[in-house]
């Protein structure tokens, strides 16, 4: 499979796929979390300097953060990290695995939601749906790292998701997003197939898009899904 085979013609095939918030919580309970990367994301590591541009004291947003180790990378470099995650298990495991003490408190604005904050104050993780998050007034961000977020959102929710992401971006933002390319007729998702045309449709009016890298990301577990190719593409979206 050549890298030129960029877009699959049947992108629409997944458009009615739906996972509920309960489905995602259940994945954490039953440990179906193969999406978690214990060593962090290698493409982010490689392009971190491009992403940060040597700036300090940035606000970085992690949508659908899970227990992503990269949150600690940014905090350790002096940045402020805010994440949103529906699973309280994922959030608690993040703090435990990173040896960080934390506090938790209910969120007045969103019934049933909580915010977990590292004692240093540099990491705040909101336990709620990303679609409820705007009510919490979390401010705007210089950077967004979107891995396993856009590709995990139900395809029918893409527009709502993009609206929230765009509302969180500050001037001179850098929004780094990883998407996957595979044959969507062979795997129902998640992760869902997000073609570059969809990325452009969602963000192209406000953002300039640059593909930083494309890598062969096929693992044995993907072959078990019935896939014979899977590419990961890293896009940098900046202010138009």
């Amino acid at each position: 499979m050549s890298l030129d085979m960029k877009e699959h013609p049947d992108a629409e095939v997944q458009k009615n796929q739906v996972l509920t918030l309960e489905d995602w919580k259940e994945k954490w309970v039953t440990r179906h979390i193969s999406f978690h990367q214990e060593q962090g994301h290698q493409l982010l590591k490689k392009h971190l300097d491009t992403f940060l541009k040597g700036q300090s004291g940035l606000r970085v947003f992690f949508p659908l953060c899970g227990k992503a180790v990269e949150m600690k990378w940014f905090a350790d470099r002096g940045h402020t990290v805010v994440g949103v995650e529906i699973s309280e298990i994922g959030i608690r495991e993040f703090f435990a695995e990173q040896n960080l003490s934390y506090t938790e408190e209910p969120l007045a604005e969103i019934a049933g939601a909580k915010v977990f904050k590292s004692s240093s104050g540099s990491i705040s993780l909101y336990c709620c749906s990303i679609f409820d998050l705007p009510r919490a007034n979390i401010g705007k961000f210089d950077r967004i790292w979107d891995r396993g977020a856009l590709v995990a959102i139900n395809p029918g929710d893409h527009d709502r998701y993009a609206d929230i992401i765009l509302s969180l971006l500050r001037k001179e933002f850098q929004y780094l997003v990883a998407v996957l390319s595979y044959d969507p007729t062979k795997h129902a998702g998640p992760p869902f197939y997000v073609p570059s045309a969809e990325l452009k449709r969602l963000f192209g009016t406000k953002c300039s898009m640059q593909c930083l890298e494309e890598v062969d990301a096929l693992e044995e577990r993907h072959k078990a899904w019935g896939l014979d190719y899977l590419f990961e593409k890293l896009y940098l979206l900046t202010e138009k």
Side-chain angles (χ1 to χ4, degrees):
M1 177 62 58
S2 79
L3 287 178
D4 298 334
M5 160 73 193
K6 293 285 195 239
E7 302 296 302
H8 197 278
D10 297 310
E12 288 290 287
V13 73
Q14 295 178 336
K15 74 173 190 295
N16 297 320
Q17 287 288 105
V18 173
L19 270 80
T20 66
L21 294 176
E22 291 306 318
D23 292 334
W24 284 106
K25 286 184 193 171
E26 186 63 17
K27 285 179 186 291
W28 284 90
V29 173
T30 57
R31 311 315 291 168
H32 287 103
I33 55 166
S34 58
F35 49 78
H36 176 67
Q37 297 180 325
E38 287 184 12
Q39 303 305 314
H41 199 276
Q42 295 313 301
L43 283 182
L44 175 62
K45 200 174 271 185
K46 182 176 173 182
H47 294 278
L48 200 55
D49 291 341
T50 307
F51 188 45
L52 292 174
K53 286 172 60 178
Q55 293 174 277
S56 56
L58 297 170
R59 295 193 81 226
V60 186
F61 180 59
F62 276 67
L64 283 55
C65 60
K67 55 176 179 176
V69 301
E70 301 92 325
M71 294 192 284
K72 181 88 163 30
W73 298 357
F74 287 104
D76 286 347
R77 283 172 170 77
H79 305 295
T80 301
V81 172
V82 174
V84 61
E85 168 58 47
I86 196 60
S87 170
E88 198 171 301
I89 295 172
I91 292 176
R92 290 185 189 280
E93 286 182 7
F94 168 76
F95 288 113
E97 290 171 13
Q98 302 301 329
N99 291 312
L100 295 171
S101 56
Y102 64 93
T103 58
E104 61 180 278
E105 54 192 66
L107 268 181
E109 304 89 344
I110 305 167
K114 294 180 184 175
V115 60
F116 295 75
K117 293 183 180 174
S118 64
S119 300
S120 67
S122 59
I123 302 175
S124 303
L125 305 185
Y126 288 78
C127 189
C128 64
S129 162
I130 190 166
F131 298 119
D132 290 330
L133 193 62
R135 300 211 300 267
N137 297 318
I138 59 170
K140 292 188 185 288
F141 295 88
D142 307 289
R143 301 289 185 273
I144 295 182
W145 169 232
D146 183 325
R147 182 257 156 189
L150 176 58
V151 298
I153 293 285
N154 294 327
D157 289 330
H158 280 175
D159 290 281
R160 284 204 300 160
Y161 178 80
D163 286 348
I164 287 176
I165 293 292
L166 290 166
S167 76
L168 294 173
L169 292 165
R170 261 185 194 167
K171 283 221 157 300
E172 298 182 16
F173 66 83
Q174 300 230 42
Y175 171 32
L176 200 59
V177 55
V179 296
L180 300 170
S181 186
Y182 64 83
D183 180 346
T185 64
K186 293 186 173 175
H187 176 61
F192 297 109
Y193 168 48
V194 180
S196 59
E198 177 69 349
L199 211 51
K200 195 167 282 173
R201 184 186 74 78
L202 293 169
F203 299 106
T205 51
K206 304 271 175 71
C207 307
S208 299
M209 280 171 49
Q210 177 193 358
C211 184
L212 296 183
E213 192 161 351
E214 178 171 358
V215 294
D216 183 347
L218 190 69
E219 297 172 13
E220 283 304 315
R221 67 190 178 98
H222 303 130
K223 292 177 188 172
W225 298 351
L227 298 182
D228 44 20
Y229 72 91
L230 180 131
F231 295 106
E232 185 167 37
K233 300 181 191 181
L234 187 68
Y235 285 93
L236 180 63
L237 279 63
T238 51
E239 201 171 14
K240 240 183 180 164

